[in-house]
PDB file of all heavy atoms in Angstrom:
ATOM      1  N   ARG F 607     -17.572  -9.137-111.420  1.00 96.00           N
ATOM      2  CA  ARG F 607     -17.552 -10.597-111.574  1.00 96.00           C
ATOM      3  C   ARG F 607     -16.690 -11.247-110.498  1.00 96.00           C
ATOM      4  O   ARG F 607     -17.040 -12.307-109.965  1.00 96.00           O
ATOM      5  CB  ARG F 607     -17.046 -10.971-112.972  1.00 96.00           C
ATOM      6  CG  ARG F 607     -17.001 -12.489-113.197  1.00 96.00           C
ATOM      7  CD  ARG F 607     -16.917 -12.850-114.662  1.00 96.00           C
ATOM      8  NE  ARG F 607     -16.751 -14.286-114.847  1.00 96.00           N
ATOM      9  CZ  ARG F 607     -17.722 -15.175-114.711  1.00 96.00           C
ATOM     10  NH1 ARG F 607     -18.945 -14.785-114.387  1.00 96.00           N
ATOM     11  NH2 ARG F 607     -17.497 -16.461-114.905  1.00 96.00           N
ATOM     12  N   ALA F 610     -18.782 -11.368-107.431  1.00 96.00           N
ATOM     13  CA  ALA F 610     -19.852 -12.362-107.528  1.00 96.00           C
ATOM     14  C   ALA F 610     -19.301 -13.779-107.363  1.00 96.00           C
ATOM     15  O   ALA F 610     -19.896 -14.607-106.659  1.00 96.00           O
ATOM     16  CB  ALA F 610     -20.562 -12.219-108.872  1.00 96.00           C
ATOM     17  N   ILE F 611     -18.177 -14.085-108.008  1.00 97.00           N
ATOM     18  CA  ILE F 611     -17.560 -15.409-107.861  1.00 97.00           C
ATOM     19  C   ILE F 611     -17.154 -15.646-106.411  1.00 97.00           C
ATOM     20  O   ILE F 611     -17.350 -16.735-105.851  1.00 97.00           O
ATOM     21  CB  ILE F 611     -16.345 -15.543-108.796  1.00 97.00           C
ATOM     22  CG1 ILE F 611     -16.786 -15.550-110.262  1.00 97.00           C
ATOM     23  CG2 ILE F 611     -15.534 -16.791-108.471  1.00 97.00           C
ATOM     24  CD1 ILE F 611     -17.568 -16.774-110.667  1.00 97.00           C
ATOM     25  N   ALA F 614     -20.248 -16.281-104.301  1.00 96.00           N
ATOM     26  CA  ALA F 614     -20.821 -17.574-104.691  1.00 96.00           C
ATOM     27  C   ALA F 614     -20.024 -18.720-104.075  1.00 96.00           C
ATOM     28  O   ALA F 614     -20.594 -19.750-103.676  1.00 96.00           O
ATOM     29  CB  ALA F 614     -20.851 -17.693-106.208  1.00 96.00           C
ATOM     30  N   ASP F 747     -22.318 -24.898-109.749  1.00 95.00           N
ATOM     31  CA  ASP F 747     -23.110 -24.174-108.752  1.00 95.00           C
ATOM     32  C   ASP F 747     -22.534 -22.786-108.496  1.00 95.00           C
ATOM     33  O   ASP F 747     -23.273 -21.803-108.361  1.00 95.00           O
ATOM     34  CB  ASP F 747     -23.161 -24.963-107.445  1.00 95.00           C
ATOM     35  CG  ASP F 747     -24.029 -26.208-107.551  1.00 95.00           C
ATOM     36  OD1 ASP F 747     -24.958 -26.200-108.381  1.00 95.00           O
ATOM     37  OD2 ASP F 747     -23.764 -27.174-106.817  1.00 95.00           O
ATOM     38  N   VAL F 748     -21.213 -22.701-108.394  1.00 96.00           N
ATOM     39  CA  VAL F 748     -20.573 -21.404-108.162  1.00 96.00           C
ATOM     40  C   VAL F 748     -20.921 -20.438-109.288  1.00 96.00           C
ATOM     41  O   VAL F 748     -21.306 -19.278-109.053  1.00 96.00           O
ATOM     42  CB  VAL F 748     -19.043 -21.561-108.036  1.00 96.00           C
ATOM     43  CG1 VAL F 748     -18.374 -20.192-107.946  1.00 96.00           C
ATOM     44  CG2 VAL F 748     -18.679 -22.393-106.817  1.00 96.00           C
ATOM     45  N   GLU F 749     -20.809 -20.890-110.534  1.00 96.00           N
ATOM     46  CA  GLU F 749     -21.064 -20.000-111.670  1.00 96.00           C
ATOM     47  C   GLU F 749     -22.541 -19.618-111.759  1.00 96.00           C
ATOM     48  O   GLU F 749     -22.882 -18.476-112.085  1.00 96.00           O
ATOM     49  CB  GLU F 749     -20.603 -20.671-112.961  1.00 96.00           C
ATOM     50  CG  GLU F 749     -19.083 -20.803-113.052  1.00 96.00           C
ATOM     51  CD  GLU F 749     -18.631 -21.399-114.361  1.00 96.00           C
ATOM     52  OE1 GLU F 749     -19.402 -22.181-114.960  1.00 96.00           O
ATOM     53  OE2 GLU F 749     -17.516 -21.066-114.789  1.00 96.00           O
ATOM     54  N   ARG F 750     -23.442 -20.554-111.448  1.00 95.00           N
ATOM     55  CA  ARG F 750     -24.867 -20.245-111.513  1.00 95.00           C
ATOM     56  C   ARG F 750     -25.231 -19.179-110.462  1.00 95.00           C
ATOM     57  O   ARG F 750     -25.976 -18.239-110.757  1.00 95.00           O
ATOM     58  CB  ARG F 750     -25.679 -21.522-111.284  1.00 95.00           C
ATOM     59  CG  ARG F 750     -27.194 -21.297-111.385  1.00 95.00           C
ATOM     60  CD  ARG F 750     -27.959 -22.594-111.275  1.00 95.00           C
ATOM     61  NE  ARG F 750     -27.890 -23.358-112.512  1.00 95.00           N
ATOM     62  CZ  ARG F 750     -27.065 -24.375-112.724  1.00 95.00           C
ATOM     63  NH1 ARG F 750     -26.254 -24.767-111.763  1.00 95.00           N
ATOM     64  NH2 ARG F 750     -27.040 -25.016-113.873  1.00 95.00           N
ATOM     65  N   ILE F 751     -24.733 -19.331-109.243  1.00 96.00           N
ATOM     66  CA  ILE F 751     -25.015 -18.337-108.191  1.00 96.00           C
ATOM     67  C   ILE F 751     -24.381 -16.995-108.547  1.00 96.00           C
ATOM     68  O   ILE F 751     -24.990 -15.929-108.354  1.00 96.00           O
ATOM     69  CB  ILE F 751     -24.505 -18.841-106.826  1.00 96.00           C
ATOM     70  CG1 ILE F 751     -25.279 -20.096-106.401  1.00 96.00           C
ATOM     71  CG2 ILE F 751     -24.639 -17.760-105.761  1.00 96.00           C
ATOM     72  CD1 ILE F 751     -24.702 -20.789-105.178  1.00 96.00           C
ATOM     73  N   ALA F 752     -23.163 -17.014-109.097  1.00 96.00           N
ATOM     74  CA  ALA F 752     -22.482 -15.768-109.468  1.00 96.00           C
ATOM     75  C   ALA F 752     -23.255 -15.020-110.547  1.00 96.00           C
ATOM     76  O   ALA F 752     -23.394 -13.784-110.486  1.00 96.00           O
ATOM     77  CB  ALA F 752     -21.065 -16.069-109.939  1.00 96.00           C
ATOM     78  N   GLU F 753     -23.777 -15.733-111.540  1.00 96.00           N
ATOM     79  CA  GLU F 753     -24.547 -15.072-112.600  1.00 96.00           C
ATOM     80  C   GLU F 753     -25.809 -14.436-112.028  1.00 96.00           C
ATOM     81  O   GLU F 753     -26.206 -13.333-112.431  1.00 96.00           O
ATOM     82  CB  GLU F 753     -24.909 -16.086-113.692  1.00 96.00           C
ATOM     83  CG  GLU F 753     -23.728 -16.572-114.515  1.00 96.00           C
ATOM     84  CD  GLU F 753     -22.964 -15.432-115.180  1.00 96.00           C
ATOM     85  OE1 GLU F 753     -23.626 -14.477-115.651  1.00 96.00           O
ATOM     86  OE2 GLU F 753     -21.728 -15.487-115.214  1.00 96.00           O
ATOM     87  N   ALA F 754     -26.460 -15.114-111.097  1.00 95.00           N
ATOM     88  CA  ALA F 754     -27.659 -14.543-110.477  1.00 95.00           C
ATOM     89  C   ALA F 754     -27.310 -13.297-109.667  1.00 95.00           C
ATOM     90  O   ALA F 754     -28.058 -12.311-109.669  1.00 95.00           O
ATOM     91  CB  ALA F 754     -28.327 -15.587-109.593  1.00 95.00           C
ATOM     92  N   LEU F 755     -26.172 -13.309-108.980  1.00 95.00           N
ATOM     93  CA  LEU F 755     -25.739 -12.132-108.221  1.00 95.00           C
ATOM     94  C   LEU F 755     -25.434 -10.958-109.148  1.00 95.00           C
ATOM     95  O   LEU F 755     -25.755  -9.808-108.833  1.00 95.00           O
ATOM     96  CB  LEU F 755     -24.519 -12.472-107.368  1.00 95.00           C
ATOM     97  CG  LEU F 755     -24.778 -13.250-106.078  1.00 95.00           C
ATOM     98  CD1 LEU F 755     -23.463 -13.732-105.465  1.00 95.00           C
ATOM     99  CD2 LEU F 755     -25.528 -12.391-105.071  1.00 95.00           C
ATOM    100  N   LEU F 756     -24.808 -11.233-110.283  1.00 95.00           N
ATOM    101  CA  LEU F 756     -24.513 -10.160-111.228  1.00 95.00           C
ATOM    102  C   LEU F 756     -25.800  -9.550-111.766  1.00 95.00           C
ATOM    103  O   LEU F 756     -25.875  -8.335-111.991  1.00 95.00           O
ATOM    104  CB  LEU F 756     -23.663 -10.698-112.377  1.00 95.00           C
ATOM    105  CG  LEU F 756     -22.187 -10.976-112.050  1.00 95.00           C
ATOM    106  CD1 LEU F 756     -21.515 -11.731-113.179  1.00 95.00           C
ATOM    107  CD2 LEU F 756     -21.454  -9.664-111.771  1.00 95.00           C
ATOM    108  N   ALA F 757     -26.822 -10.367-111.945  1.00 93.00           N
ATOM    109  CA  ALA F 757     -28.070  -9.869-112.512  1.00 93.00           C
ATOM    110  C   ALA F 757     -28.924  -9.151-111.464  1.00 93.00           C
ATOM    111  O   ALA F 757     -29.565  -8.138-111.771  1.00 93.00           O
ATOM    112  CB  ALA F 757     -28.858 -11.022-113.131  1.00 93.00           C
ATOM    113  N   ARG F 758     -28.929  -9.660-110.214  1.00 90.00           N
ATOM    114  CA  ARG F 758     -29.863  -9.149-109.215  1.00 90.00           C
ATOM    115  C   ARG F 758     -29.190  -8.444-108.041  1.00 90.00           C
ATOM    116  O   ARG F 758     -29.874  -7.795-107.243  1.00 90.00           O
ATOM    117  CB  ARG F 758     -30.735 -10.301-108.708  1.00 90.00           C
ATOM    118  CG  ARG F 758     -31.613 -10.867-109.819  1.00 90.00           C
ATOM    119  CD  ARG F 758     -32.007 -12.318-109.595  1.00 90.00           C
ATOM    120  NE  ARG F 758     -32.770 -12.516-108.373  1.00 90.00           N
ATOM    121  CZ  ARG F 758     -33.207 -13.713-107.969  1.00 90.00           C
ATOM    122  NH1 ARG F 758     -32.943 -14.796-108.691  1.00 90.00           N
ATOM    123  NH2 ARG F 758     -33.891 -13.818-106.863  1.00 90.00           N
ATOM    124  N   ARG F 759     -27.887  -8.628-107.858  1.00 91.00           N
ATOM    125  CA  ARG F 759     -27.071  -7.979-106.834  1.00 91.00           C
ATOM    126  C   ARG F 759     -27.347  -8.484-105.423  1.00 91.00           C
ATOM    127  O   ARG F 759     -26.495  -8.356-104.558  1.00 91.00           O
ATOM    128  CB  ARG F 759     -27.252  -6.448-106.858  1.00 91.00           C
ATOM    129  CG  ARG F 759     -26.953  -5.807-108.187  1.00 91.00           C
ATOM    130  CD  ARG F 759     -27.186  -4.326-108.147  1.00 91.00           C
ATOM    131  NE  ARG F 759     -26.226  -3.646-107.319  1.00 91.00           N
ATOM    132  CZ  ARG F 759     -26.356  -2.377-106.916  1.00 91.00           C
ATOM    133  NH1 ARG F 759     -27.437  -1.687-107.239  1.00 91.00           N
ATOM    134  NH2 ARG F 759     -25.427  -1.817-106.167  1.00 91.00           N
ATOM    135  N   LEU F 761     -29.371 -11.843-103.208  1.00 90.00           N
ATOM    136  CA  LEU F 761     -30.120 -13.089-103.229  1.00 90.00           C
ATOM    137  C   LEU F 761     -30.472 -13.491-101.798  1.00 90.00           C
ATOM    138  O   LEU F 761     -29.635 -13.371-100.891  1.00 90.00           O
ATOM    139  CB  LEU F 761     -29.302 -14.216-103.877  1.00 90.00           C
ATOM    140  CG  LEU F 761     -28.885 -14.040-105.339  1.00 90.00           C
ATOM    141  CD1 LEU F 761     -27.971 -15.187-105.760  1.00 90.00           C
ATOM    142  CD2 LEU F 761     -30.095 -13.954-106.258  1.00 90.00           C
ATOM    143  N   LEU F 769     -31.437 -22.221-106.744  1.00 92.00           N
ATOM    144  CA  LEU F 769     -30.427 -22.325-107.801  1.00 92.00           C
ATOM    145  C   LEU F 769     -29.644 -23.622-107.684  1.00 92.00           C
ATOM    146  O   LEU F 769     -29.353 -24.287-108.684  1.00 92.00           O
ATOM    147  CB  LEU F 769     -29.479 -21.129-107.732  1.00 92.00           C
ATOM    148  CG  LEU F 769     -30.061 -19.772-108.161  1.00 92.00           C
ATOM    149  CD1 LEU F 769     -29.114 -18.649-107.767  1.00 92.00           C
ATOM    150  CD2 LEU F 769     -30.322 -19.755-109.658  1.00 92.00           C
TER     151      LEU F 769
END
Side-chain angles (χ1 to χ4, degrees):
R607 180 163 175 76
I611 293 292
D747 288 333
V748 174
E749 291 183 332
R750 182 175 284 99
I751 295 171
E753 291 303 321
L755 282 170
L756 286 170
R758 296 154 61 181
R759 304 178 69 193
L761 298 174
L769 289 168

